[in-house]
Amino acid sequence: MFLRKVEITYVSPCLADPQKIRLKAELSDDITEVMPYLNATVKAAIYNHEAPNLTLSKEFRLITLYPRELTMIKALNTTDAWQVIDWLQELINDTYARRSEIAPDYRRKRRPHPLQLYSWLPRLNCKKCGEQHCLAFAALLFSGQQELKNCEPLFSHNYREQREVLLELAKALR
Amino acid sequence: MLTAKAKEAFNAFNAGFKEKGKLLYQGKYSSHAVRFRAMPAQREGKEKVAIYLDNAATTYPKPEAVYKAIDHYLRHIGASAGRGAYRRALEADGLVFKTRKLLGRLFNIADVSNIIFTSNVTESLNLALKGFLREGDHVVTSHLEHNSMWRPLKVLEKERNIRITVLPSPEGKALDPEQLERTILPGTRLVALTHASNVTGTLMPLKEVGEICRRYHVPLLVDTAQTAGVFPLDIKELKIDLLAFTGHKGLLGPTGTGGLYIAPGLEIKPWKEGGTGGASLLEHQPEDLPDRFEAGTLNVAGIVGLGAAVEFILEKGVGQIREHEKALTAYALEQLCQVPGLTLYGPLNAEERVGVFSINLEDIAPEELAYVLDEAYGIMVRAGLHCAPQAHRCIGTVQRGTVRISPGYFNTKEEIEALSVALKEIISH
């Protein structure tokens, strides 16, 4: 087994949605080697080969993988988090086992889908950006007709995590 | 001659027996009390080994790994699951998840958030019935139910005016699926059944029942107290919507553990509210499972032990365990049928039952027989109504009760033979 164990080391409520949790977990093994293969196979993954790190989502949860650590935000509870970690561990080990069949992708960015952008917006439909709702804002963001900075709530303290993710995703839009 | 210890035991027993005898049996059994007074003397000098045959109540012993896991948790971890941001609490949380995952493998449940931990199957059935049934609902159940199913239904009949249709099980036979189909009405909201009777061992035709329930879009609640861990249970294949299990019987875990699987989309109202470790700002119980139903500190030590037990079962294979049970059941049926004056209730075919046997020996009171088996032979069995009076009505033993013999995974043919020899000695005395 490539990645033998994942151990949650920190849990706290999500800043933007206190009903959900964010967490950190330690990886028993360095997964740097598998990241380009994950980048090649995981849909909508954001990979930074220099750092290195790789961000991916599982439904509404966002996960960032580092060589010996991962972070997750918007998990429902610890049971949910453990289930996602299990899925991730399987994904990593399966990808590693199949690496001879996969062409590694070292490219830095992947263009995100508008719905992916939408999932990380505050989704308050406050119209402060001038759009009728956040989905329209996400579509325009994707097409380059809107800018992230126009989402006022996103830059408040409560949405720090989402902001970081969206800023990272927005790099891939340029 | 009786030993001093035996004399003391018999004197104590007879004192209580007379009082009990008047109440239940109108003094009918005093002659038997005299008869078995000599039993221990007959056994004097013979080796008395402990043979535990009450696994339908609680399995014993447990796999070694269960003792070790509980000891390790209590000694070296000890923290509450989900109640701290430090490593040990998170480790405890991980162990609880591990058990959930193992149970998911055992029952083929993909999303283990839908497995709720409870204290036992009684709590699971109460949660399912009281959380799901509404005013005026119609429920179909069977005559072989344990009081853990029957009593909550009767309470709901009184408090929520639910209508209960009870499928008959004459002589302890399994329900007739065609009859079940005929009883399902447009207003039927639930079919609630035991998988196997804790009195007769009768296995219900769960696969057929599941097909019928799915066809009529009626959720199926199954009490697996006597089958989880000893009978392959796949919620998808058997089309089970609510699976209630206990940890301390066939699952080989400790007492105080159990659970309920709730199929996605079924609306169950929680019956308790309280701390969940997270989402503390919320004034109401969180909506997400399992937290919605797991208010209060979990029995982590028990759950950890249950995890080790389920791991043991998965390693052995439930199919293999069932084969072992069937072989032991077939042998027990053969042996018991050779005992003169013995009445055996329920199916006579190992395929149609689990390893739970209700018997009576001539007109000896069940309590008396159980007492002699224990005192003189070291064989532990249960006597009485086994918390299932409806089942006893089916087999005609509601006034008298039965002796229940229930071997488990760790019992052997030799132990069944020892029981058979003991019963023959008792009846020939």
Side-chain angles (χ1 to χ4, degrees):
Chain A
M1 191 183 282
F2 175 64
L3 175 60
R4 291 163 300 156
K5 197 177 174 189
V6 183
E7 199 177 339
I8 299 178
T9 54
Y10 173 82
V11 177
S12 73
C14 274
L15 293 172
D17 185 356
Q19 290 183 40
K20 294 192 172 68
I21 59 166
R22 56 181 182 155
L23 57 104
K24 277 184 187 178
E26 274 181 10
L27 312 183
S28 60
D29 304 274
D30 190 324
I31 61 162
T32 305
E33 189 186 343
V34 81
M35 284 188 187
Y37 298 94
L38 288 170
N39 190 35
T41 53
V42 176
K43 214 174 166 184
I46 313 284
Y47 179 49
N48 182 342
H49 184 62
E50 285 72 37
N53 63 47
L54 184 132
T55 300
L56 69 158
S57 57
K58 169 86 171 143
E59 286 103 34
F60 47 85
R61 310 158 194 91
L62 190 89
I63 305 133
T64 304
L65 299 173
Y66 302 92
R68 297 294 293 255
E69 191 183 70
L70 70 82
T71 62
M72 189 189 307
I73 61 174
K74 293 176 86 172
L76 296 173
N77 47 48
T78 52
T79 305
D80 180 54
W82 283 115
Q83 285 215 105
V84 175
I85 285 172
D86 254 20
W87 167 80
L88 261 176
Q89 193 175 353
E90 205 171 301
L91 173 75
I92 290 167
N93 283 329
D94 180 59
T95 306
Y96 183 78
R98 295 188 301 107
R99 67 193 185 286
S100 61
E101 307 156 22
I102 304 166
D105 185 350
Y106 296 93
R107 285 175 296 173
R108 186 182 166 93
K109 296 157 201 157
R110 284 277 176 97
R111 193 168 172 79
H113 191 272
L115 284 176
Q116 197 184 355
L117 298 170
Y118 172 71
S119 70
W120 295 106
L121 286 170
R123 289 186 283 177
L124 301 173
N125 295 326
C126 66
K127 302 178 185 174
K128 288 180 182 170
C129 60
E131 308 304 336
Q132 282 302 304
H133 40 70
C134 298
L135 191 58
F137 179 80
L140 294 168
L141 192 64
F142 177 77
S143 62
Q145 294 167 271
Q146 261 290 9
E147 288 185 75
L148 210 51
K149 65 178 185 188
N150 293 334
C151 178
E152 199 180 305
L154 186 67
F155 287 84
S156 67
H157 173 71
N158 282 353
Y159 295 96
R160 186 168 57 85
E161 287 155 347
Q162 276 106 316
R163 182 169 68 243
E164 283 169 14
V165 173
L166 278 164
L167 286 169
E168 191 64 32
L169 289 170
K171 286 180 193 168
L173 294 170
R174 287 179 211 142
Chain B
M1 285 295 290
L2 292 174
T3 61
K5 195 180 166 191
K7 265 184 190 169
E8 194 184 322
F10 277 113
N11 288 338
F13 175 77
N14 283 335
F17 174 78
K18 279 175 188 166
E19 193 182 335
K20 196 175 179 183
K22 274 178 196 166
L23 183 70
L24 287 175
Y25 308 112
Q26 299 163 333
K28 186 178 165 188
Y29 290 92
S30 55
S31 61
H32 297 301
V34 172
R35 168 157 66 173
F36 70 66
R37 273 182 190 189
M39 291 301 295
Q42 186 191 38
R43 295 285 301 162
E44 204 74 33
K46 290 189 182 177
E47 189 188 0
K48 190 175 104 171
V49 291
I51 299 176
Y52 185 80
L53 291 173
D54 194 17
N55 291 278
T58 287
T59 48
Y60 175 85
K62 308 296 182 187
E64 188 59 28
V66 174
Y67 305 122
K68 285 183 177 166
I70 296 172
D71 185 81
H72 175 79
Y73 165 74
L74 288 174
R75 219 177 277 282
H76 302 292
I77 303 173
S80 271
R83 300 297 199 273
Y86 49 96
R87 275 181 189 259
R88 274 216 218 157
L90 292 163
E91 191 179 350
D93 203 69
L95 290 173
V96 170
F97 176 73
K98 185 182 169 192
T99 302
R100 245 186 260 276
K101 203 168 96 174
L102 289 162
L103 287 163
R105 266 179 64 197
L106 186 69
F107 299 132
N108 192 22
I109 297 166
D111 184 354
V112 299
S113 301
N114 291 79
I115 299 171
I116 311 304
F117 284 121
T118 62
S119 305
N120 46 49
V121 76
T122 300
E123 194 176 304
S124 306
L125 290 169
N126 271 267
L127 169 60
L129 294 168
K130 293 175 180 171
F132 183 69
L133 293 172
R134 299 177 304 212
E135 182 74 22
D137 281 343
H138 176 236
V139 183
V140 180
T141 188
S142 85
H143 258 141
L144 293 185
E145 302 308 312
H146 188 275
N147 272 342
S148 55
M149 183 80 90
W150 189 244
R151 284 180 174 165
L153 283 173
K154 293 306 279 182
V155 166
L156 292 171
E157 185 181 47
K158 197 174 168 188
E159 293 179 355
R160 294 187 201 166
N161 299 308
I162 66 161
R163 289 165 298 134
I164 307 168
T165 299
V166 188
L167 295 167
S169 286
E171 296 167 8
K173 285 181 186 144
L175 67 81
D176 175 4
E178 284 180 17
Q179 196 170 10
L180 165 71
E181 191 164 2
R182 287 197 296 273
T183 61
I184 293 179
L185 308 168
T188 304
R189 191 121 186 286
L190 187 70
V191 171
L193 292 175
T194 184
H195 186 192
S197 165
N198 71 310
V199 175
T200 60
T202 311
L203 270 165
M204 291 296 198
L206 205 51
K207 192 155 173 59
E208 290 90 330
V209 169
E211 297 286 348
I212 293 166
C213 289
R214 196 52 59 92
R215 203 179 311 141
Y216 290 90
H217 307 289
V218 178
L220 171 62
L221 163 64
V222 182
D223 168 3
T224 68
Q226 297 300 335
T227 53
V230 291
F231 196 97
L233 284 165
D234 181 323
I235 55 133
K236 287 177 188 151
E237 196 189 321
L238 296 170
K239 300 177 174 58
I240 298 171
D241 302 284
L242 292 157
L243 184 143
F245 62 91
T246 199
H248 68 107
K249 300 193 186 199
L251 287 178
L252 304 175
T255 49
T257 58
L260 177 69
Y261 160 73
I262 303 173
L266 272 192
E267 183 52 40
I268 307 278
K269 197 179 167 201
W271 72 337
K272 61 179 179 180
E273 287 81 26
T276 49
S280 297
L281 270 176
L282 272 182
E283 291 192 341
H284 304 284
Q285 205 63 12
E287 289 296 318
D288 300 309
L289 273 63
D291 293 7
R292 181 168 162 78
F293 300 101
E294 289 184 353
T297 299
L298 288 172
N299 172 14
V300 184
I303 291 169
V304 166
L306 177 60
V310 176
E311 207 163 14
F312 173 88
I313 289 167
L314 289 168
E315 274 169 21
K316 296 285 172 197
V318 189
Q320 288 296 317
I321 292 172
R322 172 65 182 150
E323 287 307 312
H324 172 77
E325 183 189 53
K326 272 199 293 190
L328 215 54
T329 298
Y331 188 69
L333 287 168
E334 184 193 314
Q335 289 289 311
L336 291 171
C337 287
Q338 288 173 14
V339 177
L342 185 140
T343 306
L344 175 69
Y345 304 94
L348 293 173
N349 181 342
E351 285 287 342
E352 295 169 15
R353 57 150 65 233
V354 290
V356 176
F357 310 92
S358 260
I359 63 155
N360 271 312
L361 198 54
E362 284 192 344
D363 58 350
I364 304 175
E367 291 80 2
E368 193 176 318
L369 182 57
Y371 178 77
V372 177
L373 284 169
D374 185 31
E375 285 297 309
Y377 298 92
I379 298 172
M380 291 164 264
V381 294
R382 186 171 166 183
L385 293 179
H386 322 299
C387 304
Q390 303 301 318
H392 283 278
R393 285 197 177 93
C394 296
I395 58 173
T397 54
V398 73
Q399 293 300 322
R400 181 185 185 183
T402 57
V403 165
R404 187 179 70 181
I405 299 150
S406 51
Y409 181 72
F410 295 108
N411 284 117
T412 60
K413 282 187 174 178
E414 288 70 30
E415 289 172 326
I416 300 293
E417 197 180 344
L419 167 77
S420 168
V421 167
L423 290 169
K424 284 174 187 165
E425 272 187 29
I426 291 168
I427 203 64
S428 66
H429 180 71

